[in-house]
Amino acid sequence: MTDILNYINGGWVAPIGRKFFDNVDPARGEVYSRVPDSDERDVAAAVQAAQVAFPAWSAMPVQQRANLLLKVADLIDRDLELLSRAESQDQGKPVKLARVMDIPRASANLRFFATGIIHFSSEAHATDNEAINYTLRTPVGVVGCISPWNLPLYLFTWKIAPALAAGCTVVAKPSELTPMTAYLFSKLCAEAGLPPGVLNIVHGMGSRAGQAIVENPDIAAISFTGGTVTGKKIAATAAPMFKKLSLELGGKNPNLVFADCDFEMAVKTSVAAAFTNQGEICLCGSRIFVERPLFDRFAAEFVRQTQEMVVGDPMSNQTRLGALVSEGHLEKVLSYIELARQEGGKILTGGKRVKLATHPNGFFVEPTVITGLSHTCRTNQEEIFGPVVTLVPFDSEEDAVEMANSTPYGLAATVWTENLKRAHRVAGQIKSGIVWVNCWLLRDLRTPFGGMKQSGVGREGGWEALRFFTEAKNVCIKLK
Ligand code: NAD
């Protein structure tokens, strides 16, 4: 049984309180490693190391800093198979998905920001003939990066890479449910020669280790991805301390299918958008609105393709849906299916837990398609974050937009239509941080990423992330 350790000041240490908790393999329902139950003392040690490391790291020539991050990226690629298997075992996702998405994206994050920082520049403004203004951008200092369990290494590096590239030093905490690849990542950082204290990883519970990061007065900024309820709590703690905050929160994303769409592509991609990673992606399209003339045909084909998907051993290459991340999450998802029934929903397919002969205690759920519900019911308003989607018919473009915008969330949306004017019209009216037209999860790391309403505050990605991790200072020089 592996004991995961904190990574502080370039070394691996047990938590000061010597307490660990169990880490469960969700496909087997068995404990397979232990996680440090860190508290504010461990966070304080990590912050101190980060403070000591900050002057040299922020002053290091940018190309040298970039080279170190590129080296880490190369090591991730070298360990693709090991990391993919570790991610799959820890999270429950198909290893095949980790191999093509999670782990390659982790190295891409590092490469993207390592090269991005070299091109990062600031503005100058000539003020008539009076003065010249320029903007200095300096790293904010020690920052906290807190990430969720659904895309563990992918989202961990999405925050750490721009922070380090910008010259900040970092205290990071992965989710307590999926700490393994962050632990393996710490070893790669050390192998690449990242100086001690530049990146510190403290493992533990959100309410203890996470809260201690947010409360620590020497952490200047917090980049958080996770649930909206947690985001609210973090904002309440951080705001009176005037910390910079970037919050990437939950979603309940609409997928609008117009009758004039490319039918084959719309169904196939909507199925992927619904169930990739067991529906545990914040960007999954979970509310599918279909124009009424197409509704029955779309529903029939959607259900047919859903039933073809194999729920199975995450380590098998045939598997499309692995296990949900934890028993608690499995219960939450099943309770939402029950709620949908109570609200009058009709289950077209799925709806039950899956007991695999090889993995009788795993947390597997059938991909589930529900119809017959109003867009205002709880099932269609609250984030389920599992393999559960609803199909709802609509009669006009206005109805579709209104239903799409009718939740407190505003993270992502997809629109399927071959009508160019409609595509632009609808994209302009949807209140979300991303609108995909005739595609899903097509990501360009230069684009601003984030949510409106209760899906978040601020944007990450591209220059936005580098701006977040730096402070802008205006210098004004009088010319006369
Ligand atoms: P979560 O909010 O429970 O936990 C996220 C992280 O915050 C974990 O590391 C956790 O330990 C930590 N945490 C919990 N309480 C804390 C506190 N009081 N102070 C500081 N840290 C604390 O979220 P989760 O269940 O791990 O992830 C699922 C959620 O994340 C979903 O709502 C999903 O939509 C969202 N998500 C959003 C995005 C995005 O980019 N917007 C991406 C992925 C996931």
Side-chain angles (χ1 to χ4, degrees):
M1 173 114 43
T2 312
D3 271 356
I4 288 171
L5 294 171
N6 289 334
Y7 179 62
I8 296 176
N9 203 23
W12 291 272
V13 288
I16 292 167
R18 316 300 298 177
K19 280 199 256 165
F20 287 77
F21 54 83
D22 290 338
N23 186 25
V24 172
D25 172 342
R28 300 192 180 275
E30 285 167 7
V31 176
Y32 84 104
S33 62
R34 298 195 316 153
V35 189
D37 189 359
S38 309
D39 60 28
E40 68 282 357
R41 292 170 294 174
D42 305 290
V43 170
V47 171
Q48 209 207 342
Q51 281 180 308
V52 171
F54 179 71
W57 180 250
S58 54
M60 185 183 277
V62 73
Q63 184 68 60
Q64 210 176 321
R65 220 157 55 207
N67 287 348
L68 281 165
L69 299 178
L70 292 171
K71 184 105 187 275
V72 179
D74 289 345
L75 295 177
I76 292 175
D77 288 350
R78 181 198 69 189
D79 287 355
L80 171 70
E81 191 55 28
L82 176 100
L83 290 165
S84 302
R85 289 182 165 267
E87 201 72 293
S88 170
Q89 179 173 29
D90 214 24
Q91 205 274 342
K93 69 179 68 216
V95 67
K96 202 172 155 188
L97 185 66
R99 225 179 256 138
V100 299
M101 185 177 79
D102 294 76
I103 308 305
R105 175 58 189 276
S107 58
N109 287 338
L110 283 149
R111 277 199 192 96
F112 177 79
F113 287 109
T115 46
I117 195 67
I118 293 168
H119 302 269
F120 191 45
S121 57
S122 63
E123 314 82 38
H125 306 275
T127 310
D128 302 324
N129 287 324
E130 283 275 316
I132 180 95
N133 283 276
Y134 61 87
T135 308
L136 282 180
R137 286 208 164 260
T138 47
V140 294
V142 178
V143 299
C145 297
I146 302 176
S147 56
W149 49 256
N150 63 324
L151 302 168
L153 193 61
Y154 174 136
L155 289 174
F156 195 63
T157 51
W158 178 238
K159 299 180 172 305
I160 287 168
L164 294 177
C168 296
T169 53
V170 175
V171 176
K173 193 192 89 60
S175 168
E176 60 274 27
L177 295 173
T178 54
M180 188 55 86
T181 48
Y183 174 54
L184 298 173
F185 178 73
S186 69
K187 299 188 178 194
L188 300 182
C189 289
E191 186 181 341
L194 210 64
V198 163
L199 170 67
N200 304 276
I201 303 176
V202 179
H203 294 273
M205 295 294 181
S207 54
R208 210 168 6 260
Q211 184 74 18
I213 291 175
V214 182
E215 283 175 359
N216 191 295
D218 295 318
I219 292 184
I222 301 283
S223 169
F224 168 79
T225 299
T228 294
V229 172
T230 315
K232 218 175 260 182
K233 206 164 171 196
I234 289 177
T237 309
M241 302 170 85
F242 301 104
K243 293 187 187 223
K244 267 186 118 174
L245 268 187
S246 168
L247 302 173
E248 302 288 340
L249 309 176
K252 186 75 178 174
N253 309 310
N255 181 356
L256 273 50
V257 184
F258 287 89
D260 65 7
C261 69
D262 175 338
F263 181 76
E264 308 292 325
M265 192 54 80
V267 181
K268 186 167 170 248
T269 311
S270 297
V271 170
F275 301 121
T276 299
N277 206 45
Q278 302 75 243
E280 296 167 330
I281 300 184
C282 55
L283 305 168
C284 277
S286 56
R287 295 181 295 145
I288 307 175
F289 299 103
V290 187
E291 201 166 4
R292 203 174 296 274
L294 191 68
F295 188 82
D296 290 343
R297 185 173 161 225
F298 184 93
E301 183 56 18
F302 190 92
V303 166
R304 194 189 68 74
Q305 291 190 24
T306 300
Q307 288 169 341
E308 272 182 356
M309 287 191 299
V310 177
V311 180
D313 179 359
M315 292 296 163
S316 158
N317 282 335
Q318 310 312 317
T319 295
R320 282 287 298 278
L321 278 87
L324 299 193
V325 71
S326 67
E327 191 163 18
H329 192 54
L330 169 86
E331 276 159 16
K332 176 187 158 184
V333 169
L334 292 174
S335 79
Y336 269 105
I337 296 172
E338 185 46 39
L339 173 71
R341 278 198 187 95
Q342 286 165 13
E343 290 184 317
K346 182 174 168 211
I347 307 225
L348 297 182
T349 186
K352 294 189 296 299
R353 184 175 181 174
V354 178
K355 294 263 182 188
L356 296 179
T358 50
H359 298 66
N361 300 318
F363 312 136
F364 300 92
V365 175
E366 292 173 332
T368 301
V369 183
I370 304 170
T371 189
L373 288 170
S374 128
H375 69 283
T376 57
C377 70
R378 278 186 58 204
T379 308
N380 272 328
Q381 289 288 313
E382 297 174 17
E383 186 184 41
I384 302 174
F385 214 53
V388 180
V389 296
T390 60
L391 300 179
V392 179
F394 68 84
D395 291 304
S396 68
E397 193 178 302
E398 292 71 33
D399 277 1
V401 170
E402 196 203 313
M403 291 197 278
N405 286 337
S406 71
T407 75
Y409 295 106
L411 189 55
T414 294
V415 181
W416 293 96
T417 179
E418 293 292 292
N419 179 327
L420 187 63
K421 289 180 194 153
R422 168 180 284 148
H424 288 294
R425 228 170 24 230
V426 173
Q429 291 177 80
I430 288 185
K431 294 193 180 79
S432 67
I434 305 173
V435 179
W436 278 295
V437 177
N438 297 329
C439 59
W440 176 71
L441 208 63
L442 189 55
R443 291 276 295 119
D444 181 325
L445 302 191
R446 293 170 299 182
T447 58
F449 181 89
M452 296 187 184
K453 302 194 274 183
Q454 293 187 22
S455 287
V457 178
R459 294 291 181 273
E460 298 188 342
W463 300 139
E464 302 282 349
L466 294 175
R467 287 189 189 119
F468 176 75
F469 288 113
T470 51
E471 286 282 12
K473 182 193 288 174
N474 167 226
V475 179
C476 176
I477 300 169
K478 194 165 189 298
L479 294 177
K480 288 177 188 159

